[in-house]
Amino acid sequence: MRFLILLFMAMPIIEMWLLIVVGQHLGASLTIIMVVFTAVIGLHGLRSQGLSTLKRLQDKLSSQQLPAKEIVEGVILAIGGAFLLTPGFITDILGFSCMLPLTRKLWLKLLFTWYQFRLASFHQAPFEHSGFDQSEQSVSGDIIEGKYSNSNDKVK
């Protein structure tokens, strides 16, 4: 979390510095044209890639399959679109990496790997320091019946 806060604070400063450096070498007007041009190209790419992903999502839904990959790709495309609309060259590189199918697949694989790692560590964490030995868990599949009552329910 601290890394994200540091990143959100440092990124605009780095982008401004880079825009100033490029502006000194190419001129302010050419630098502004480049930033606007990448935003226009990025929005066009977002539209075409988004429609393609939406079509695949609809195809999976019509064949009664879970469109998890397409949903995550849609999120990656939305993030890429936000990066492309943000003025700057580093955000443009990140945005275009979300738009291009090859690099988007890499982002997708990275995201799924991270999610699986987080999910696996989440399931192991509750028993790490509790003194409960996981090897003693029953695997017989016995069903224990009981009743549940909410302590906030009024007694009649």
Side-chain angles (χ1 to χ4, degrees):
M1 185 68 172
R2 290 181 183 167
F3 174 74
L4 286 177
I5 293 171
L6 183 63
L7 183 67
F8 282 123
M9 290 172 49
M11 191 59 116
I13 295 169
I14 295 168
E15 287 284 12
M16 284 189 285
W17 174 79
L18 191 58
L19 285 168
I20 291 169
V21 169
V22 171
Q24 287 175 342
H25 290 294
L26 299 178
S29 57
L30 188 57
T31 304
I32 292 171
I33 289 170
M34 286 175 60
V35 169
V36 171
F37 182 71
T38 57
V40 170
I41 295 295
L43 287 177
H44 179 69
L46 175 65
R47 181 174 170 239
S48 66
Q49 292 296 315
L51 289 173
S52 171
T53 302
L54 183 62
K55 180 170 179 358
R56 287 195 321 267
L57 185 133
Q58 289 173 339
D59 290 343
K60 282 213 173 173
L61 284 175
S62 66
S63 64
Q64 297 181 348
Q65 294 177 346
L66 182 67
K69 178 183 171 190
E70 287 74 15
I71 291 171
V72 176
E73 277 190 20
V75 171
I76 292 171
L77 285 170
I79 291 169
F83 277 140
L84 286 168
L85 287 176
T86 305
F89 295 114
I90 296 171
T91 53
D92 286 344
I93 291 169
L94 289 172
F96 280 118
S97 74
C98 292
M99 294 292 148
L100 300 173
L102 179 66
T103 51
R104 188 172 61 239
K105 286 181 183 178
L106 293 174
W107 282 115
L108 189 67
K109 184 176 181 179
L110 179 73
L111 204 58
F112 274 129
T113 304
W114 174 80
Y115 181 72
Q116 287 174 345
F117 173 76
R118 294 283 295 181
L119 192 61
S121 65
F122 174 75
H123 284 296
Q124 294 172 357
F127 300 110
E128 283 181 358
H129 303 290
S130 66
F132 180 74
D133 186 10
Q134 292 181 6
S135 63
E136 295 177 9
Q137 291 179 345
S138 172
V139 287
S140 64
D142 294 337
I143 297 174
I144 301 173
E145 292 187 24
K147 292 185 179 183
Y148 167 78
S149 66
N150 191 346
S151 62
N152 294 331
D153 291 343
K154 294 180 180 179
V155 178
K156 293 183 180 180

